[in-house]
Amino acid sequence: MNISHPIQRIAAILGPTNTGKTHYAVERMLAHRSGMMGFPLRLLARENYDRIVAIKGSEAVSLITGEEKRIPEKPDYHICTVEAMPSLKVDFLAVDEIQLAADPERGHVFTDRLLNWRGHLETLFLGAQTIEYAIRCLIPDIEVINRPRLSRLSHAGPRKLTRLPRRSAVVAFSVDAVYALAEHLRATTGGAAVVLGALSPSARNAQADMFQSGEVDYLVATDAIGMGLNMDIDHVAFAALRKFDGQRMRRLTTPELAQIAGRAGRHIRDGSFGTTNRLGFMDPSIVEDIETHHFDPLTFLWWRTAELDFSSPRNLIVSLDQPPPKDQGRLLQRAPQSADRLALGVLATWPEIAKRSRTPENVRLLWELCRVPDYRRSLGDEHHHLLAQLFIHLSDGVLPDSWLSQQIDRLDRIDGGIDMLSTRIAHIRIWNYVAFQDSWLDHPDHWRARTRQIEDRLSAALHEALVQRFVDSQTTLAYRLTKSENPSGLITANGRLMAGQECIGQFDGLRFKIHPTQPSRTHSRQDEKRILKVMRPLLEKESRRRIAALTQEPATAFTLNPHGTIDWHGQTIARLKPGESLSNPNLDIADNPFVGTAERDQIHQYLRKWLATHLRERLAPLWQLEAAPLSSLGRGLVFQLREMLGSIPRLMAADCIIALKRPDRRHLRRAGLVIGRQGIFLAALLEPSIIALRALLWKTCWHHTTASSLSLPTDVIMRVTWPTGYAEAIGYHRIPLPPHHMARNGKKKPRGRSNHPKPNNHSKPLSVAVRMDRMEDIAAEVWKCGKRGPFTAGANLMTLTGDDPVAMQAILRAIGTDARKKDGVWHYRMRHPGGQTNKTAHQPNRYSPFTVLSHSQDSSHSKRRKMRR
């Protein structure tokens, strides 16, 4: 756009990053009635477009890039990428990052804007100070304004990756290196955002927003951040100083390093730069140049003519390759073969293309197609074949909808990993570019919406894949919470640790459990260790607070549940384990790595005291027996009762009962003890809730049996498969059933098989359990009926024993009766009317644990004697 009328002002605003150049240019443009700004990246164009729309409204501003056009009816201001700047007359014109005129790939476009594009009233060129010499030579009367950096940029030396400060950006120059660094940061700090040139603008913005909003504290990027999004970065760490530029591996120039390092610091906040410890120290001269912003000036700019000959492909190539004007000496040099020039050279040799390129219109079309960006960076014939297909279709008219649909629809998939999604995004960006060429399509609006929809879906999927791979949001949130002013205030009343609306974890009693951020995702042990390590100071403080609160709680705040655990406000804090006796169990405190031994002992003592008080209240009759004024013989009986939780078969204490004096009997009877014919028990401890407590103590504290493996009694008489000792501990008699009751329908069992099935929980019932008070009632009825001789089962006896004849016979046999069937009726006779025989009364206590212990000791002594012999 060569303007012939006089120019009022043309200026170059030069300086390093963070000098406010762009902000100044936007203010100058808005001071005019019309204006245009060209930016090197679509991202920068979109960022400033949104900023100006917020000021002037969407009807006054247009956005023009290769992949996106938002043009209202009569816009006053135009925000563009440099290549997409339209030829319009405006009062103000500005080009950002003008030093890119020295870039081999795109430099000729910026040089063209520098030499030929002007605003009617004001023109500004924004860039680095390295281009000052070239600008003064090309435009002698230009006004040059050097702006100082608003904040200080200092060198911080090498640092370990795990010791980088928050708000750091780590820079590498290959995809593999970026991914490896991001993986390492995830493993140590919770994760990082990832910015690559290969990402779509939407995905790149999403990743940058994640860093900018503080969701993550680290950014891993290529040199794409050197000229792009403005972010609050405090430190830039270089993980490499060499890059592959498409042709060879080379060291980055000092201005390139400065452009990237300059992203540290924002506005008046200072920034720093350095390297990772593996890279070591930077060259001191490079460090000094970056800190002082002194760089060698650019000695030449790339140039390519804007006056092209479209008479034939050959003439077009000749015009593109013509040398710069001789009067510029060495300052302007002919641009190397860029991607569009290379594509033209290849396609012009293809016969079909040459055949169709015989008119200036088709030659111009061919050139426009050669300028379609290769976002895939295929570096081969794939892109050239696509351009050839486009040209063949367009030379016949417009692109066919069916062919276009076939090319685009196959990209509408979000499966695959990061690389696959990135490849699809690169493909769809090409079709997005095509969709904004109105003359190439019958329905451009439809295809713009279609390609934009697919790109948005792919970008969202890619962003999610990057987050899944490189970010553990809970570790990041945990790390950020520890830095907040009142981290303990983020723990709710029910023990949840919240970060906004997200729950990081929850206290279950005294233990802290981590919650996965997503239902489909579970934490590995390494993830949990990392989160707990980050949260340790906060969790230690909260644990101490909860312990202090626990030890001040009233007894009603704790419950002993049927599973053998002690709960505090519904949260498990301890579990019963074997102790000195059934009535005195020990406790296993819930594991908490954030409390020390002293705190654990404090909890243990407090809960032991609570448990002892609780058991004394629930089993109060046992302790009332101990308070009775008894002789040593009576106290021995009470000791046995306490060991068996309030009930023992009479056989276990037969000698003691015979020798018990009348005063002891009277005191025991007043305390609620029943000394019956079959058992000795406290009737108050036969209530269902007390029986459940006794069962819990026996199962969890003595026999290590899980609470669910043994059932609680549901009736006063029932068939069971309980092990020895369980029935007596809960106040029942266990009476073995005769083996023949296992036969079905009166059939004999096959020979060769035992009539005694193995006693396990899966076999049929082998015993009948009778509650001790009911057993006494049955014994009293049997003694009443049998004291005068043989008797038959009357109505009262049938009512007491239930409707199970096998169980009744077993019960009566255990009481001491013999049965005989006569004329189809069972007749019973007491073997020893009035009580047990001396022989049975003096049988050893087979249920007592002390008897078992003495037997085991005798056995061990006998083994030792045999060994000595």
Side-chain angles (χ1 to χ4, degrees), residues 418-655:
I418 293 174
D419 293 337
M420 184 63 71
L421 291 170
S422 299
T423 301
R424 291 195 193 114
I425 287 175
H427 280 77
I428 201 63
R429 288 182 68 189
I430 295 175
W431 295 113
N432 195 20
Y433 182 95
V434 171
F436 275 96
Q437 314 306 314
D438 292 348
S439 60
W440 295 1
L441 307 165
D442 275 336
H443 308 95
D445 291 338
H446 165 75
W447 293 113
R448 288 172 195 163
R450 178 69 176 140
T451 55
R452 175 62 61 198
Q453 178 189 22
I454 294 175
E455 183 180 344
D456 289 344
R457 288 189 65 218
L458 290 172
S459 298
L462 178 59
H463 172 65
E464 182 65 23
L466 291 170
V467 171
Q468 286 282 346
R469 180 171 174 182
F470 300 122
V471 177
D472 181 357
S473 59
Q474 283 188 301
T475 303
T476 306
L477 288 172
Y479 183 80
R480 190 160 57 251
L481 286 178
T482 59
K483 303 300 180 182
S484 62
E485 294 182 359
N486 184 23
S488 57
L490 301 172
I491 299 177
T492 62
N494 60 358
R496 289 190 173 189
L497 178 59
M498 304 296 295
Q501 299 298 319
E502 186 171 355
C503 178
I504 293 179
Q506 181 175 6
F507 272 95
D508 179 12
L510 298 176
R511 292 182 299 174
F512 183 76
K513 296 181 179 179
I514 298 170
H515 287 186
T517 53
Q518 300 174 2
S520 60
R521 180 178 177 181
T522 58
H523 281 288
S524 67
R525 184 59 181 165
Q526 184 178 5
D527 292 337
E528 292 186 357
K529 285 183 177 180
R530 182 171 60 250
I531 296 174
L532 294 177
K533 180 179 178 181
V534 172
M535 295 297 300
R536 188 174 188 87
L538 172 59
L539 298 178
E540 286 178 348
K541 182 178 180 180
E542 176 63 15
S543 296
R544 288 193 294 269
R545 187 197 68 79
R546 295 175 78 86
I547 290 172
L550 183 149
T551 54
Q552 300 298 322
E553 289 278 14
T556 54
F558 305 95
T559 56
L560 177 62
N561 69 38
H563 297 288
T565 59
I566 296 178
D567 292 354
W568 174 39
H569 295 300
Q571 297 178 338
T572 300
I573 56 175
R575 182 177 297 275
L576 299 186
K577 70 176 184 178
E580 297 176 358
S581 64
L582 294 181
S583 59
N584 187 24
N586 208 337
L587 288 177
D588 186 13
I589 305 299
D591 184 41
N592 185 343
F594 307 108
V595 298
T597 304
E599 289 87 352
R600 288 183 61 85
D601 291 343
Q602 181 184 4
I603 301 170
H604 189 270
Q605 292 175 7
Y606 185 82
L607 292 180
R608 281 293 301 271
K609 182 179 179 181
W610 175 87
L611 180 61
T613 303
H614 177 74
L615 294 179
R616 278 180 176 271
E617 291 176 356
R618 298 295 306 279
L619 305 176
L622 276 178
W623 275 266
Q624 291 175 3
L625 280 178
E626 292 188 347
L630 301 172
S631 65
S632 59
L633 197 62
R635 287 196 296 272
L637 178 62
V638 171
F639 176 79
Q640 281 187 287
L641 286 167
R642 182 175 172 184
E643 289 297 312
M644 293 300 292
L645 298 176
S647 59
I648 56 176
R650 185 182 177 105
L651 288 176
M652 290 182 63
D655 292 341

Side-chain angles (χ1 to χ4, degrees), residues 90 121 163 172 234 296 447 508 513 713 755 763 807 817 840 849 858:
V90 290
L121 299 177
R163 299 258 179 112
D234 292 339
D296 295 334
W447 293 113
D508 179 12
K513 296 181 179 179
N755 287 334
S763 64
T817 65
T840 58
D858 293 342

Side-chain angles (χ1 to χ4, degrees), residues 30 33 54 119 126 138 290 358 412-413 573 769:
L30 297 182
R33 289 181 300 176
L126 318 175
L138 294 173
I290 294 175
R358 294 177 179 175
D412 192 10
R413 297 170 50 191
I573 56 175

